[in-house]
């Protein structure tokens, strides 16, 4: 999912990088969308900002994300966020707006708009 655009604009269109996860654990079999404010080793953390998105990739994964991966969750991709997680509307002027799959004419809301669209649309479990 991380390497291609989706119909809900939930995930960022980034080159795919392998992200290891435990093969067993309480979250095994579940997919994880990671908001673009959290580091994932090998991916740039852009925080919804094109200047930050042009920076170097993270060398380490954020501890909170790593714990989910260690519990068996499979990385599905980086999800869109409002620029610098600043707004409650969830529409980033630099990217196509995430689509609310339950109410397409309404915003997904909040800085976690991409994550909300991904989970509500069945593109990620977490």
């Amino acid at each position: 999912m991380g390497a291609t655009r989706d119909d809900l604009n939930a995930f960022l269109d980034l080159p795919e990088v392998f992200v290891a996860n435990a093969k067993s654990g309480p979250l095994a079999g579940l997919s994880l969308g990671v908001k673009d404010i959290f580091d994932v080793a090998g991916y740039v953390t852009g925080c919804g900002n094109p200047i930050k998105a042009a920076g170097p990739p993270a060398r380490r994964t954020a501890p909170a994300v790593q714990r989910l991966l260690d519990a068996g969750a499979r990385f599905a991709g980086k999800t869109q966020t409002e620029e610098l997680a600043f707004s409650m509307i969830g529409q980033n002027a630099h990217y196509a707006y995430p689509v609310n799959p339950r109410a397409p004419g309404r915003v997904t809301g909040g800085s976690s708009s991409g994550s909300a669209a991904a989970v509500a649309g069945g593109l990620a479990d977490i």
Side-chain angles (χ1 to χ4, degrees), residues 6-11 97-109 112-124:
D6 59 89
D7 291 341
L8 300 177
N9 300 320
F11 290 95
Y97 298 161
V99 175
N100 183 334
R102 304 288 183 198
R106 298 176 184 247
V107 298
T108 52
S112 296
S113 55
S115 299
V119 172
L123 302 176

Side-chain angles (χ1 to χ4, degrees), residues 5-98:
R5 289 301 278 171
D6 59 89
D7 291 341
L8 300 177
N9 300 320
F11 290 95
L12 296 174
D13 189 12
L14 300 171
E16 193 167 345
V17 175
F18 175 74
V19 177
N21 65 300
K23 300 304 174 208
S24 63
L27 301 179
L30 298 177
S31 58
L32 171 68
V34 177
K35 183 175 178 176
D36 191 34
I37 63 168
F38 295 102
D39 285 344
V40 175
Y43 283 90
V44 173
T45 301
C47 300
N49 178 278
I51 295 171
K52 286 186 67 63
R59 295 195 304 206
R60 291 195 286 218
T61 298
V65 174
Q66 190 61 56
R67 290 199 60 186
L68 296 169
L69 296 169
D70 292 345
R74 177 187 49 78
F75 178 72
K78 295 279 268 214
T79 60
Q80 216 189 124
T81 185
E82 176 70 55
E83 187 171 14
L84 304 176
F86 186 69
S87 171
M88 295 184 68
I89 294 176
Q91 296 179 331
N92 188 322
H94 305 291
Y95 304 103
Y97 298 161

